[in-house]
Amino acid sequence: MRIDRIIADTPAPAEALFPKWRGREPLEPHRAEVEQRLAARFPQLSDHATDAAFDRFEAAHPAAPVHRYNQVPAKAAAQVAMLPTQVRAAWVCALMLRHMARFDAAFAATGLPDEFALHYVDQFHRILDSIDSEPEFAALESDTFLKDLWLTRLVMIPAFAQMWWPRSGLSARTTLKAGPRAIAYVFLECGGRDRFLEGHTHDPVARAYWNAPGWAEALRLAALALPALPQVRGAFGSAWFYDPAVLEITPRISFTQDLQAGQGALRIRVGSDADAIANATRTSATRRERYRDGSYLPTDYAFIWSRKRLIARYGA
């Protein structure tokens, strides 16, 4: 199999950087074992987990050129809702297992460099552990689960500190509000405001990969992926931790900015809202206290990379 060759022969910096990385572990034995245990745990599953049913779901849930990964079409959601309650989560787990079983041919069709196969395998082992231990995690209402579903569909791209969603676009309102420099960068440097890689933090891997090496790898892998994605104009991410004010409050996460500010990316202010405040204050007593005393207002900023500049900086 091609994936077996990739696992055996492809160099990957992750081996030296992340001791718990599992990209070289054989995938199929693990997948087959989990599939058998899932079937035994849910005897009714075989009545519903058919190729025809999976194909209907896939047809109802296509990957449109630009859309949000967490928007599930009503027809696809209705198909799952019609299943018996006790097998819904298991059915979606079985769908992901089918995607993994077809990984070899599906990955070849992506055109991505071989190294990405290793990173998908790393993620698949984690997802298989979740299916085995708690299949109920597979809920279409869960943002975390939907990232995993798109990983198994080989649309979301794994990159350690970030998952890259290649079907995103920049907000026209945010771009225009940011002023002439942002407008020139987006429309002249990038060539337009869609399509872009959009970076997302994925909670299940944050403990292992949300660090300086994980962020450096995220940017390198974004640049590495771009030749296989000729329609993508660049990459961007929007978050409270891109706010310059955070450097004084939480300097230990300065790498999220240092790897981008002054490196070729453009930073723009997005604004403050309830989500920015909740995200910034959820895990830090210091940020919560600074927000409460009025000395800090959590505010989202975005870093935008043109395709050319990202490849020039991290493509080597």
Side-chain angles (χ1 to χ4, degrees):
M1 289 177 64
R2 180 171 185 265
I3 299 304
D4 290 339
R5 178 187 61 75
I6 291 172
I7 289 174
D9 299 338
T10 303
E15 281 186 289
L17 294 171
F18 308 109
K20 295 183 179 181
W21 180 75
R22 301 168 70 182
R24 296 233 187 261
E25 293 181 18
L27 177 64
E28 182 54 25
H30 190 190
R31 190 207 65 81
E33 290 169 5
V34 170
E35 185 174 56
Q36 291 172 4
R37 285 193 287 267
L38 186 72
R41 182 172 176 179
F42 297 93
Q44 290 179 290
L45 182 60
S46 60
D47 296 333
H48 306 280
T50 64
D51 283 342
F54 291 147
D55 289 342
R56 285 197 300 273
F57 180 88
E58 292 297 315
H61 193 9
V66 176
H67 73 286
R68 295 179 182 276
Y69 70 87
N70 53 7
Q71 289 182 337
V72 180
K75 188 175 181 180
Q79 180 182 343
V80 175
M82 290 174 64
L83 294 168
T85 303
Q86 63 270 29
V87 300
R88 287 177 192 168
W91 187 90
V92 186
C93 289
L95 172 66
M96 292 194 294
L97 290 168
R98 186 178 81 147
H99 282 306
M100 293 184 203
R102 300 179 173 187
F103 178 47
D104 203 331
F107 179 76
T110 68
L112 289 168
D114 284 353
E115 184 184 341
F116 285 95
L118 300 174
H119 303 316
Y120 277 112
V121 168
D122 174 54
Q123 293 299 315
F124 289 174
H125 283 301
R126 174 187 57 79
I127 294 169
L128 287 167
D129 288 344
S130 295
I131 292 173
D132 211 17
S133 64
E134 189 179 1
E136 293 77 16
F137 90 106
L140 297 184
E141 303 78 24
S142 165
D143 181 274
T144 297
F145 165 72
L146 289 173
K147 290 189 180 82
D148 283 345
L149 177 60
W150 284 109
L151 280 168
T152 64
R153 295 175 86 183
L154 306 191
V155 178
M156 189 78 81
I157 299 173
F160 298 101
Q162 296 286 272
M163 300 293 154
W164 293 109
W165 176 244
R167 301 179 183 274
S168 196
L170 294 168
S171 162
R173 179 180 179 183
T174 300
T175 302
L176 295 174
K177 185 179 177 182
R181 186 177 175 218
I183 294 169
Y185 190 93
V186 170
F187 289 100
L188 298 180
E189 178 81 21
C190 299
R193 62 183 186 85
D194 60 5
R195 296 166 41 184
F196 278 75
L197 294 172
E198 182 180 12
H200 293 275
T201 297
H202 196 25
D203 289 345
V205 298
R207 183 179 295 275
Y209 297 146
W210 211 91
N211 47 43
W215 271 91
E217 282 294 280
L219 293 165
R220 181 186 70 83
L221 289 169
L224 185 64
L226 284 175
L229 303 167
Q231 72 280 16
V232 171
R233 301 182 186 276
F236 80 98
S238 176
W240 61 269
F241 46 79
Y242 293 149
D243 180 357
V246 170
L247 295 180
E248 183 268 323
I249 302 169
T250 316
R252 62 182 176 79
I253 62 171
S254 64
F255 53 81
T256 63
Q257 299 185 32
D258 295 342
L259 290 166
Q260 302 188 78
Q263 304 293 322
L266 173 73
R267 175 162 44 191
I268 63 173
R269 186 181 187 276
V270 177
S272 180
D273 59 16
D275 286 341
I277 293 168
N279 291 334
T281 58
R282 183 174 61 244
T283 59
S284 169
T286 301
R287 291 193 297 271
R288 282 196 298 274
E289 183 60 31
R290 292 285 297 269
Y291 169 64
R292 288 169 183 161
D293 70 19
S295 62
Y296 166 56
L297 176 63
T299 302
D300 282 340
Y301 278 72
F303 276 113
I304 305 168
W305 286 90
S306 71
R307 179 187 184 92
K308 178 180 177 181
R309 295 197 184 197
L310 183 58
I311 291 174
R313 177 61 183 88
Y314 286 106

